[in-house]
Amino acid sequence: TTRSELMRIEGEGNVGIGTATPDSKLHIEDATTALITLQTSGTGSGGISWTDTSGSELGYFKQSSNTGDITLANSSAGVLTTWDYSTGNVGIGTTNPGKKLDINGEARVNSILTLNRSSAASLKFSRGSDFYLGIDNSGNLNFLNDAASSLGVWQNTGNVGIGTTNP
C-alpha cells in the first residue's frame, strides 16, 4: 500500500493538516472545506478562548449550549457581538439584540446608508419621545412624531411644509 502524509508536526511546533508546510501553530488546508468541529459530549458550551501567559482570558468566541447564541467578547470591553440563534438578530455591544441589527453605542457609516423597502422607509430617533424621518410611497420626505402625526413634509417636487402635509 502507498502511504500518504495526512498531518505534519514541524520542529518549531507548527501543525499542518492537509498541508506539508504549516504557516502557524495550527494550519488546516482542504480543497473544498476547511472546517473545524468543536463538539461537547454533554451540555457544555463550545468555543475558542484567547489567554495570556498567566492563563487569564483575554477574549472568546463561544456558542451557548442553552440558547445556541454565539458571542464574541474580550476582557476589557466585554461583549462585542452577539448572534441570537432563535431570532437571527445580531447585536453589537449588547447581549440581547432586539432587532435584526441592534447596536448599543455609536455607529459610523463611511459611505451611504440605504433604507430599502417596497413600502415607506424611515429612521427612528428615540430619546423619551420618538421622532421619525421617513420617505413615503410617493417619494416625499416626512417628519413624524410619536403618534405618527406629520410635523412637516418635503415633497419630491421641492415644496416644503411645516405643520401641513400638503404645501
Side-chain angles (χ1 to χ4, degrees), residues 139-158:
N140 300 321
L141 186 63
N142 293 282
F143 306 92
L144 306 165
N145 65 12
D146 224 358
S149 297
S150 179
L151 301 173
V153 63
W154 184 350
Q155 293 182 328
N156 62 8
T157 59

Side-chain angles (χ1 to χ4, degrees), residues 79-94:
V79 172
L80 302 174
T81 305
T82 301
W83 174 59
D84 186 316
Y85 178 78
S86 63
T87 63
N89 294 347
V90 174
I92 300 174
T94 179

Side-chain angles (χ1 to χ4, degrees), residues 36-49:
I36 298 173
T37 300
L38 303 172
Q39 181 176 350
T40 61
S41 59
T43 58
S45 296
I48 300 171
S49 179

